[in-house]
Amino acid sequence: MTLLSRKADYALLILSYLHQNTGGGNARTVADKFGLSPSFVANILKELAHHGFVAGHRGVKGGYALARPADTITLAELLESIESGFRLTMCNPSLPDQHHEQCSLAGACTLKGPLTVVHNRLLEVLRAVTLAELFDPNGSLSQPSALLSLSLLPATTTTTCRSEPATVTQA
Amino acid sequence: MTLLSRKADYALLILSYLHQNTGGGNARTVADKFGLSPSFVANILKELAHHGFVAGHRGVKGGYALARPADTITLAELLESIESGFRLTMCNPSLPDQHHEQCSLAGACTLKGPLTVVHNRLLEVLRAVTLAELFDPNGSLSQPSALLSLSLLPATTTTTCRSEPATVTQA
DNA sequence: CGAAATAGCACTTGTCAGATACGATTACCA
DNA sequence: TGGTAATCGTATCTGACAAGTGCTATTTCG
Ligand code: FES
Ligand code: FES
């Protein structure tokens, strides 16, 4: 299975382009840049604009530009918008407020709680990544050796790690 | 999007049943237990047996039982088998050895490296969860406050715990 | 031998991502 | 004031794959 759909993947690419070219660009320019279908790029940009990530300006000199700084957008937030809600399983809704009991096994299922914890752990990883980090070619995410440094990290205990209960306060 | 397909979700349920009933059980019993289609359960068990998670015994007194202790199976391993390879994007294969350059943007794409790092972080979370933890009703995963336990895991995830709470501000 | 169970495969069906298209609206410019 | 170039909104089509069913062969026990 693939976590990011192709649409979300291209959305990241497009946002990366708009991030580097601060002047922004129109759909055709972006599509030409990446060799994609102009209609497809236009649709993705429309969806991004609808969710408030980019701002579109119409007219002959219009185009798209980032509506918010890239370091204020987390990967989790983008995926929650582009993909239709990030869930671990069918029975674990990401939004805890709407608890539609569509699963017939909800009573006998003992995995619901533990799976929710795993889901929150994954969400924490996505929340810790901002688009600015993702787009920075010299950032901490660009070193492939960062994976190895996982095991040989100095024993600096992450004392300041606030363990939030990970409650997505969705209005 | 949903990380675990319904098949994987039911596979976890079935494995949980086989874990609690050490004597094992046949497909019909399990299907009856959860109110699922016997054929569907049988197919899932067949696939689990094919991947070596459960051992099937034919004959009139046959059935399935866990082939390996539950604490030696990680959630990542199960998903890698049931689902067909856990990838973050289309262009980030989970297996680094086969580097088929199917993506036409592989040259111009600057996100490949950072996304791989994120992918590995997510994989670490899944690798840190064993089925035994998942099935234990009194385990660390059953407490909603188990997010604390991230810090006492063997230095896998949360390489740099970001102090920013990453508040999701809905516009 | 016959019943009961797994093993393996072929098949149908339903859903949704992926992708395209078109008209409406807006803004710039001559 | 008209024309053009862009976004905006929506509607639609299609292919791939998940979801689910069924059947036959094989094995084991009584
Ligand atoms: S399988 Fe639906 S609640 Fe666990
Ligand atoms: S989009 Fe294919 S390599 Fe980045």
Side-chain angles (χ1 to χ4, degrees), chain B residues 114-142:
Chain B
L115 281 182
T116 303
V117 175
V118 175
H119 169 251
N120 284 328
R121 285 189 188 175
L122 292 172
L123 218 50
E124 281 300 319
V125 173
L126 295 178
R127 258 197 275 264
V129 178
T130 67
L131 294 195
E133 293 173 311
L134 213 55
F135 298 157
D136 185 5
N138 301 325
S140 59
L141 291 177
S142 296

Side-chain angles (χ1 to χ4, degrees), chain B residues 92-117:
Chain B
N92 280 38
S94 53
L95 310 180
D97 41 87
Q98 49 178 355
H99 43 77
H100 33 69
E101 301 286 336
Q102 74 247 19
C103 182
S104 56
L105 316 167
C109 177
T110 60
L111 302 177
K112 204 167 186 177
L115 281 182
T116 303
V117 175

Side-chain angles (χ1 to χ4, degrees), chain A:
Chain A
M1 51 83 33
T2 311
L3 185 56
L4 272 73
S5 68
R6 191 169 304 193
K7 183 172 65 175
D9 194 12
Y10 290 162
L12 281 177
L13 269 178
I14 294 169
L15 289 174
S16 162
Y17 176 85
L18 294 180
H19 177 62
Q20 286 162 4
N21 303 37
T22 53
N26 57 13
R28 184 165 305 178
T29 305
V30 178
D32 195 38
K33 169 82 175 183
F34 293 113
L36 297 175
S37 160
S39 309
F40 194 28
V41 174
N43 262 19
I44 295 177
L45 277 168
K46 273 179 260 184
E47 189 161 350
L48 287 174
H50 182 256
H51 285 100
F53 295 112
V54 300
H57 294 285
R58 299 197 246 203
V60 64
K61 276 181 65 69
Y64 287 97
L66 281 187
R68 298 162 48 186
D71 56 358
T72 67
I73 306 176
T74 67
L75 194 53
E77 188 185 359
L78 183 69
L79 292 190
E80 286 278 346
S81 301
I82 295 296
E83 318 275 351
S84 51
F86 171 70
R87 324 178 272 181
L88 186 58
T89 69
M90 300 285 170
C91 320
N92 280 36
S94 54
L95 311 182
D97 40 88
Q98 49 180 356
H99 44 79
H100 31 68
E101 301 287 335
Q102 73 248 19
C103 182
S104 57
L105 315 167
C109 177
T110 60
L111 303 176
K112 205 166 186 176
L115 282 181
T116 302
V117 175
V118 175
H119 170 251
N120 284 328
R121 285 188 188 177
L122 293 173
L123 222 48
E124 280 299 319
V125 173
L126 295 179
R127 259 197 273 264
V129 178
T130 68
L131 294 194
E133 293 174 311
L134 214 55
F135 298 157
D136 186 6
N138 302 324
S140 60
L141 292 176
S142 296
Q143 269 74 315
S145 61
L147 182 63
L148 297 196
S149 70
L150 278 179
S151 47
L152 34 103
L153 264 178
T156 60
T157 57
T158 60
T159 57
T160 63
C161 180
R162 294 181 45 79
S163 59
E164 295 279 330
T167 56
V168 181
T169 59
Q170 195 101 343

